[in-house]
Amino acid sequence: MRYERHKKKKKKKWKAVLFVILLFIVGGFAYSYFQYKQGVSQSLEKAKNTVEQKEYKFNGKKDRYGGTNVLLLGSDSRGEEHSRADTIMIARYHPDKKSYKLISIMRDSYVEIPGHGKNRINTAFAKGGPELLRETIKENFDIDIQYYAIVDFEGFVQLIDEAFPKGVEVNVEKEMSHNIDVVIKPGLQYLDGEHLLGYVRFRHDKVGDFGRVQRQQEVVKQIGKQLTGIQTIPKLPKLIGVVTPFINTNMDTGDMLYIGKDFLSKDNRNIDSLRVPVDGAWEDADVNGAEVLAIDVEKNKEAIREFLQK
């Protein structure tokens, strides 16, 4: 009898424990959903432009080296149907190596676009959306890409302002103002979303687009360093909600939460970066009066292969 009473008490105890665990899980999902919807509502109230949630065909697949590649496209289309991609990046997460890599492709790279002949790589997006750009990258650089995300620049501004109320710390090397709608003074400072966007878009100096790409990669790394680890994870659902009205992607919310949570929970958030074309594998060229980057496809392809295998 005593044994049976003890057994019944033990069962009740485990039921209570399971109930508490279930309560935490349900509460966590409810909190995440509430934060996500709050982020969406907040953005819609402030939005001047949002991204058309057009469903693109995208035949991407997982990276053969075991990583997950996301084609990140920065856009300032303002509703234009055939806009070119202003920024082209490939973000790569490898779950086994716990590594994060970033490849920036110069938009003036002169490449073969399947079915359209040779042209600047950013025209692939205008002619055939993210799928044609994916095919172009695969044909020229042999990179498999599973997901795409087209982010409007207004979404970038709101995301930065939500994630970093004090701004992102950046050491600005020179005064910048031409064609970026803001004035940025040189020196170490905290930039809000609008000024940080101007900083990563500025390209009117001697190094042009090369300097712009370098600043973009530096800002991505700075954002990674300035995120506060486990303290930022509760903010993640709201951050995804904030950017949702400004993003068109084939990733579902679960995919974004998984990759984002894994990144934020790491102590070491080093992001290795590569610019394409790499040094010594391109030269300036003039094609029908347009300045382009004539690239050595094989040299760049080999540099990418080595970069992804590390």
Side-chain angles (χ1 to χ4, degrees), residues 86-230:
D86 188 80
T87 298
I88 303 172
M89 289 182 170
I90 300 167
R92 198 247 199 160
Y93 166 62
H94 200 296
D96 296 331
K97 296 179 180 179
K98 305 298 181 186
S99 63
Y100 306 90
K101 295 180 183 289
L102 187 68
I103 300 174
S104 296
I105 301 178
M106 304 282 290
R107 61 184 184 176
D108 289 338
S109 299
Y110 196 63
V111 297
E112 188 70 36
I113 299 176
H116 296 273
K118 297 199 76 170
N119 210 325
R120 289 189 177 105
I121 193 168
N122 66 340
T123 63
F125 179 71
K127 292 179 179 295
E131 171 60 15
L132 182 58
L133 184 52
R134 182 199 67 79
E135 293 173 7
T136 301
I137 292 171
K138 174 63 178 176
E139 177 168 314
N140 290 273
F141 305 119
D142 197 24
I143 308 175
D144 290 308
I145 300 173
Q146 187 172 0
Y147 299 110
Y148 74 86
I150 306 167
V151 184
D152 185 86
F153 289 138
E154 187 180 346
F156 173 84
V157 170
Q158 292 210 30
L159 181 65
I160 293 300
D161 287 342
E162 180 63 34
F164 303 97
K166 294 181 179 179
V168 175
E169 188 178 34
V170 176
N171 192 3
V172 180
E173 68 271 24
K174 66 187 76 174
E175 182 171 319
M176 301 176 184
S177 61
H178 189 64
N179 276 9
I180 57 173
D181 299 324
V182 292
V183 176
I184 307 172
K185 298 294 184 179
L188 186 64
Q189 58 195 285
Y190 286 90
L191 298 179
D192 63 11
E194 186 180 11
H195 286 79
L196 191 64
L197 176 62
Y199 178 72
V200 298
R201 294 193 71 191
F202 181 77
R203 64 189 185 97
H204 293 277
D205 56 12
K206 291 181 180 179
V207 290
D209 222 27
F210 286 90
R212 188 177 73 106
V213 168
Q214 183 179 347
R215 282 189 290 275
Q216 288 172 353
Q217 292 187 341
E218 287 175 355
V219 164
V220 170
K221 292 177 183 180
Q222 277 295 100
I223 289 172
K225 288 178 183 177
Q226 293 177 42
L227 289 170
T228 57
I230 200 73

Side-chain angles (χ1 to χ4, degrees), residues 39-48 50 158 242 245-246:
V40 172
S41 298
Q42 178 178 305
S43 284
L44 289 175
E45 286 176 7
K46 297 178 180 179
K48 297 175 184 175
T50 57
Q158 292 210 30
V242 166
F246 307 101

Side-chain angles (χ1 to χ4, degrees), residues 54 56 58 70-71 130 146-150 248-251:
K54 179 180 179 180
Y56 288 101
F58 198 77
V70 183
L71 179 61
Q146 187 172 0
Y147 299 110
Y148 74 86
I150 306 167
N248 184 310
T249 181
N250 63 337
M251 299 177 72

Side-chain angles (χ1 to χ4, degrees), residues 7-18:
K7 195 174 181 180
K8 285 180 180 178
K9 286 182 180 178
K10 199 171 182 180
K11 280 186 178 179
K12 286 181 180 179
K13 183 180 178 181
W14 275 110
K15 284 181 180 178
V17 171
L18 288 173

